[in-house]
Amino acid sequence: MALYNVFDVAGSAMSAQSLRLNLTASNLANAETTASSPEEAYRARHPVFAAKLQQAQAGQAETSNGVEVGVRGVVETDAPVQALHQPNSPLADENGYVYRSNVNPVEEMVNMISASRSYQNSVEVMSTSRDLMLQTLRIGR
């Protein structure tokens, strides 16, 4: 039934924002981590989403809408990692440097707020749609 497509779209949006929130939390948890080489340093990760296209197939009455979670995968940012001179660190390389992740905590907090609000909006869409459907059923009584 076409009326229920709104639940599919909102549900897929909630799944997408949940993935985004999990990646942001992981980025924040690793913001201050260090490694012994730039290649081993943690790099911020972000999801890449793609909209599902309606695919009308012969004989198929309904199509799918929404967001494909992680279709393109998760990408790491290419921002450079920060080299810190800490010769007493057990992770220091031969030059006395350790390498901190490229996570920007301010950007990640903004990303977390945005994802949280998008998730809340999807919940509100589902709630409003449910209420409208119940009101429509009450009219038919």
Side-chain angles (χ1 to χ4, degrees):
M1 180 177 228
L3 291 175
Y4 294 110
N5 283 348
V6 70
F7 294 113
D8 293 338
V9 173
S12 69
M14 289 170 62
S15 294
Q17 295 309 320
S18 179
L19 173 64
R20 187 173 161 205
L21 281 167
N22 286 336
L23 286 173
T24 301
S26 178
N27 289 342
L28 285 170
N30 289 291
E32 297 295 322
T33 59
T34 57
S36 58
S37 71
E39 294 79 26
E40 294 174 0
Y42 182 86
R43 298 184 183 275
R45 293 173 173 91
H46 300 285
V48 178
F49 300 121
K52 286 184 180 177
L53 299 176
Q54 290 187 352
Q55 298 183 3
Q57 298 175 352
Q60 184 179 2
E62 297 188 32
T63 58
S64 177
N65 297 318
V67 177
E68 291 184 33
V69 180
V71 167
R72 304 280 186 246
V74 175
V75 295
E76 292 182 346
T77 60
D78 56 355
V81 295
Q82 183 181 11
L84 303 171
H85 187 68
Q86 295 179 348
N88 296 331
S89 173
L91 294 175
D93 62 8
E94 62 276 354
N95 297 322
Y97 286 97
V98 294
Y99 301 89
R100 185 183 296 167
S101 71
N102 65 354
V103 175
N104 182 338
V106 174
E107 287 179 10
E108 295 300 326
M109 288 302 294
V110 170
N111 197 16
M112 184 174 278
I113 291 168
S114 174
S116 175
R117 288 186 178 164
S118 295
Y119 188 92
Q120 289 171 350
N121 287 340
S122 296
V123 169
E124 198 61 37
V125 165
M126 290 184 92
S127 178
T128 301
S129 298
R130 183 201 65 209
D131 292 345
L132 289 173
M133 286 182 180
L134 288 174
Q135 289 295 335
T136 302
L137 290 173
R138 286 188 192 116
I139 290 173
R141 283 185 186 178

